[in-house]
Amino acid sequence: MSNIHKNKIAFYIGPSNSGKDTFFKKSLSLYEVLPIVLLTTRPPRPGEVEGREYYFKTKERMDFLDRNGELIERRDYNTMNGIWSYATGKESIDLEKYNYLTPNTWAAYKKFLEVYPKECLVPIYFQLDKGIRLQRALDREKESTNSDYAEMCRRFLADEQDFTNDMIDLYKPLIINNNGSIEETMEQIDDIMVRKLGILPKQN
């Protein structure tokens, strides 16, 4: 019998400074899940390794994969160095063998629903008080060597538009309340990963 319906892709979803990226890294070290490695057309940065940070593709190869239906989703960004594309390739995921975890967006989750059965996909939403999120954004910006408070405010306001209760009502994610301590949040994550999804902790 196929394992595809037993194994899951868990999505950590939330606005900037909601904690999803921090807890994504912690979760990778604690549970038997793999990250979904994206494809990109941008050149590798120093220290990046093929297949670890990204699968690096030429624009021609990315376009070929797109035309042939090998991409789940694709995003193109107009940068100072031209258009750089980021995408999720179908060949990057093997649900027959593995569980996966990805910090992602509602838009990407919607694209995954077009490819995989809904029971394989688990949206997990990081929810917290707006004031706490804004304070965390300010604290992070203060610690940065290249503080950009205008960009921080733009991102905060944009996320207010992108992450609404309408999306929660539509997709009915599992909710993580991240207003408290790291330990309190990890207890909620552990309950979801182990008890609700049946994903095993890593053995030390």
Side-chain angles (χ1 to χ4, degrees):
M1 181 177 170
S2 173
N3 233 5
I4 192 167
H5 294 303
K6 186 182 81 170
N7 292 332
K8 309 291 184 186
I9 302 173
F11 294 77
Y12 280 1
I13 298 173
S16 57
N17 295 288
S18 64
K20 66 181 185 297
D21 294 313
T22 297
F23 288 103
F24 166 71
K25 293 174 184 176
K26 287 182 179 294
S27 297
L28 285 181
S29 69
L30 293 172
Y31 304 103
E32 293 291 348
V33 291
L34 295 179
I36 295 176
V37 180
L38 299 181
L39 287 63
T40 185
T41 60
R42 77 155 170 77
R45 292 170 181 161
E48 290 184 333
V49 176
E50 170 74 13
R52 187 180 68 188
E53 281 79 17
Y54 293 98
Y55 294 111
F56 296 97
K57 306 292 182 183
T58 63
K59 178 184 182 303
E60 291 73 23
R61 180 62 180 170
M62 186 77 87
D63 290 342
F64 174 83
L65 293 171
D66 203 357
R67 286 195 305 272
N68 285 275
E70 293 301 318
L71 302 182
I72 298 171
E73 54 89 29
R74 175 178 178 174
R75 291 149 281 155
D76 300 313
Y77 299 98
N78 192 4
T79 76
M80 296 295 291
N81 298 293
I83 295 176
W84 287 348
S85 300
Y86 296 82
T88 306
K90 292 180 181 178
E91 65 179 12
S92 302
I93 299 171
D94 184 357
L95 271 181
E96 292 280 352
K97 295 181 179 179
Y98 306 108
N99 290 295
Y100 291 88
L101 178 64
T102 174
N104 227 308
T105 64
W106 286 125
Y109 175 72
K110 183 178 179 181
K111 289 290 186 181
F112 272 75
L113 284 171
E114 297 173 7
V115 178
Y116 295 100
K118 187 176 181 180
E119 58 265 32
C120 296
L121 308 178
V122 184
I124 301 169
Y125 188 75
F126 283 74
Q127 194 172 60
L128 71 166
D129 178 81
K130 293 178 183 179
I132 293 175
R133 187 165 74 85
L134 182 57
Q135 186 60 58
R136 288 177 182 175
L138 284 167
D139 292 342
R140 177 180 292 182
E141 210 61 36
K142 287 177 184 177
E143 294 172 0
S144 173
T145 56
N146 297 300
S147 298
D148 187 344
Y149 291 100
E151 172 60 19
M152 183 208 75
C153 292
R154 184 205 65 78
R155 191 166 60 244
F156 183 88
L157 293 173
D159 283 348
E160 287 296 292
Q161 299 296 319
D162 293 338
F163 295 91
T164 64
N165 288 333
D166 290 344
M167 305 305 284
I168 294 174
D169 293 340
L170 176 62
Y171 293 122
K172 297 178 173 54
L174 298 172
I175 300 292
I176 295 286
N177 184 314
N178 194 26
N179 287 320
S181 67
I182 291 175
E183 291 75 18
E184 289 170 332
T185 300
M186 284 307 307
E187 285 181 8
Q188 296 173 71
I189 290 173
D190 195 66
D191 180 64
I192 289 173
M193 287 292 185
V194 178
R195 283 172 281 282
K196 289 188 172 66
L197 302 186
I199 295 175
L200 298 175
K202 283 188 175 177
Q203 300 298 317
N204 293 329

